[in-house]
Amino acid sequence: LFIVAQDVHMPLYHILFHFWTIFFGTSTEAIRFMSFLFFVACLPFIYLLARTVVSRPWALFAATLFTLSPFANWYANEARMYTLLALTSIISQYFFVRIMKGQKNSWPWYTLAAIVGAYSHYFFMFGLLAQAIFYFFNVKRFPKRTFVKFIGVAVAVIIAISPWIIYFLMQGAASTTRPRIAEPTPIDFFNVYSQFIFGFQSIGINTMLVSAWPLMVVLALVTVRRFTNPTFPVSYILVAAIVPVLIAFTLSFIISPFFLSRYMIAAVAPICILIVWLLARYSKKVAITVSVLLVLLSSTLFIQQMRSQQTPVRENFQQVSDYITKEATPRDAIAMSSPFTVYPFEYYYKGTLQIRTLPPWDRQNPGPVSAFSLDTLPKQVDDLKKGHEYIYLILSYDQGYEEAIRTYFRDNYELVEQKTFSPKLTLLKFRVGYNDPVSFSK
């Protein structure tokens, strides 16, 4: 809890993960399987949510689209909290629609989903905010006394998470561990939805997909205008698919850039349901034809994402670890440009070389990672190179100073090897000393 409180995450996943590894171990399969179970648990709730707006066959197809989603499957196979965030968000969306329809027995479940979701990820709150916005624009269409009950839910959530928020603030509010993310552009906004539907593809494929977005939006609007106006539940599904992403996009300019598609995974299920709802407006022949094409496209891109070495989010720490284990000698050292990436590297690395991070991170002592400084970098590198012949510099996640570290090494030491293991994971080998003693004469 102490470590999580110094990062940018809520603790529920990590608590569950702690006990999961006690029972099932820490093999690669074991530590990823809990996320996969959350992904599987999403499917019945997507079906139930879709049933509020479409027939049973189309609801099953919505669940199928989510099952084949390259984006959702990527995080179903990572030891991270994003499928838990998706699950709690879908449950919240489902019971919110039931509340819209006046089903009073939904309030306890909606409250529970709100509390559990809030402990899953900070961005779950964007989904609750989208629900609040939808309510205030449609207050007359909700059952009586709904406002009072929503206030009660809000109070319950605030009380439930306040101990963690206080503890989080006491630990410095992640002031030195927040990832440095570039300010988003309109292209990034459309790129997020491209990833939701088509997953993480190479630059060439992604460029073609994003360029087709204007046409797809026009076709969707024409479909809605031609066949029918959205029903009350469909209007909310549309809000759930767009508003949380818009909130994150806007706040990235006001507060701090944090616009990453994985943070908005709660919008994936509503997107799948909207696609199915639009297809259901067409004739049976057209709808079935397009559905088959969608399944083929999703399956193809799923396989492409899984097999391609150019998948932009791929991080082959196992390969770089195996390579260093095979090539390095006891006189070498390892430096990592982004301190927190030491964890996935150490998981795979079984060698004995010294591993340092730049900037240095003393994990034996409580406290945050030291801030990067170009003034202190020369001394940090000098301390690292003592007694070593080569330094293996691993460049992985750019925290805003990766290029400064790369430039310093290249300007001061001999680059003898460079290998790229995945799009953003590069290994540089620098000579920083010599094995043989050098004698000098007058």
Side-chain angles (χ1 to χ4, degrees):
L1 293 179
F2 176 77
I3 293 173
V4 175
Q6 296 182 59
D7 208 337
V8 290
H9 298 296
M10 295 296 279
L12 178 59
Y13 177 87
H14 301 83
I15 294 172
L16 296 174
F17 190 67
H18 169 76
F19 292 102
W20 177 271
T21 56
I22 288 176
F23 286 102
F24 299 105
T26 57
S27 68
T28 302
E29 294 79 11
I31 64 173
R32 295 186 179 193
F33 197 71
M34 190 173 79
S35 296
F36 178 73
L37 289 181
F38 290 137
F39 168 75
V40 173
C42 288
L43 304 182
F45 287 101
I46 291 175
Y47 169 79
L48 293 173
L49 181 60
R51 279 292 286 122
T52 63
V53 296
V54 294
S55 64
R56 180 183 178 186
W58 284 115
L60 289 171
F61 184 61
T64 300
L65 282 184
F66 187 85
T67 304
L68 296 174
S69 166
F71 181 87
N73 273 277
W74 184 269
Y75 292 107
N77 290 280
E78 281 202 345
R80 304 170 92 172
M81 71 294 299
Y82 298 112
T83 51
L84 175 61
L85 171 60
L87 174 61
T88 54
S89 298
I90 296 166
I91 294 174
S92 174
Q93 293 158 0
Y94 170 63
F95 285 108
F96 183 78
V97 173
R98 285 173 58 93
I99 288 170
M100 290 165 49
K101 294 183 173 184
Q103 297 175 338
K104 297 180 180 180
N105 61 342
S106 299
W107 283 103
W109 296 108
Y110 176 75
T111 306
L112 180 61
I115 293 173
V116 175
Y119 265 103
S120 301
H121 200 282
Y122 291 106
F123 277 43
F124 177 85
M125 298 299 187
F126 291 169
L128 296 182
L129 183 56
Q131 292 172 354
I133 292 171
F134 182 82
Y135 169 76
F136 280 110
F137 276 96
N138 299 275
V139 62
K140 294 182 179 180
R141 303 177 68 177
F142 277 79
K144 294 181 179 180
R145 297 185 58 81
T146 300
F147 178 73
V148 175
K149 293 181 179 179
F150 275 136
I151 292 297
V153 173
V155 171
V157 171
I158 292 172
I159 292 174
I161 68 171
S162 58
W164 175 258
I165 298 301
I166 293 171
Y167 184 60
F168 171 73
L169 295 174
M170 289 173 61
Q171 303 306 322
S175 58
T176 60
T177 57
R178 297 173 185 172
R180 299 188 182 185
I181 302 171
E183 195 171 85
T185 66
I187 294 177
D188 293 322
F189 183 84
F190 288 104
N191 194 45
V192 162
Y193 283 98
S194 176
Q195 291 174 2
F196 286 165
I197 299 174
F198 305 116
F200 301 105
Q201 304 300 330
S202 63
I203 295 176
I205 295 176
N206 193 61
T207 300
M208 291 188 294
L209 295 173
V210 173
S211 63
W213 264 103
L215 178 61
M216 295 173 65
V217 171
V218 170
L219 289 174
L221 292 175
V222 169
T223 301
V224 174
R225 184 177 181 86
R226 177 182 175 185
F227 290 102
T228 182
N229 292 323
T231 62
F232 192 32
V234 171
S235 299
Y236 166 65
I237 299 296
L238 181 63
V239 167
I242 297 177
V243 172
V245 182
L246 278 174
I247 293 173
F249 184 77
T250 304
L251 293 181
S252 289
F253 295 98
I254 299 174
I255 300 176
S256 177
F258 50 70
F259 193 71
L260 296 175
S261 59
R262 62 178 181 266
Y263 293 162
M264 276 78 73
I265 195 172
V268 176
I271 286 290
C272 292
I273 294 172
L274 280 177
I275 291 173
V276 169
W277 179 79
L278 289 173
L279 285 176
R281 305 302 99 195
Y282 284 92
S283 66
K284 186 176 181 179
K285 182 177 180 180
V286 172
I288 291 177
T289 301
V290 176
S291 298
V292 171
L293 292 175
L294 269 177
V295 168
L296 293 175
L297 179 62
S298 295
S299 302
T300 301
L301 293 176
F302 184 4
I303 296 171
Q304 171 70 13
Q305 174 185 271
M306 179 177 63
R307 298 181 63 182
S308 174
Q309 293 300 313
Q310 298 305 310
T311 301
V313 289
R314 187 179 297 279
E315 297 172 316
N316 286 324
F317 283 103
Q318 182 175 13
Q319 289 184 12
V320 71
S321 171
D322 293 343
Y323 181 82
I324 292 176
T325 302
K326 179 181 178 181
E327 298 293 330
T329 71
R331 289 184 55 83
D332 302 334
I334 301 170
M336 307 197 69
S337 70
S338 189
F340 66 87
T341 59
V342 71
Y343 287 118
F345 177 78
E346 283 185 340
Y347 176 80
Y348 291 108
Y349 183 64
K350 307 305 179 186
T352 59
L353 295 188
Q354 182 184 35
I355 303 173
R356 295 277 190 89
T357 64
L358 294 173
W361 184 14
D362 185 1
R363 288 176 287 163
Q364 302 303 317
N365 296 318
V369 183
S370 302
F372 174 79
S373 171
L374 197 57
D375 295 331
T376 59
L377 180 62
K379 184 180 184 308
Q380 293 166 1
V381 176
D382 284 342
D383 292 340
L384 174 61
K385 74 175 187 177
K386 289 179 181 178
H388 296 112
E389 183 178 5
Y390 294 99
I391 288 180
Y392 288 87
L393 177 63
I394 300 175
L395 304 177
S396 51
Y397 190 94
D398 188 3
Q399 287 281 82
Y401 48 77
E402 182 181 278
E403 190 56 37
I405 293 176
R406 186 204 307 263
T407 301
Y408 178 81
F409 270 88
R410 282 188 166 175
D411 289 346
N412 292 277
Y413 303 102
E414 177 190 358
L415 176 64
V416 297
E417 188 177 8
Q418 176 173 335
K419 288 181 68 68
T420 298
F421 290 87
S422 48
K424 295 182 180 179
L425 184 59
T426 301
L427 176 66
L428 305 176
K429 182 180 178 181
F430 290 94
R431 180 186 289 275
V432 295
Y434 295 88
N435 258 331
D436 300 324
V438 179
S439 60
F440 296 91
S441 58
K442 294 182 180 179

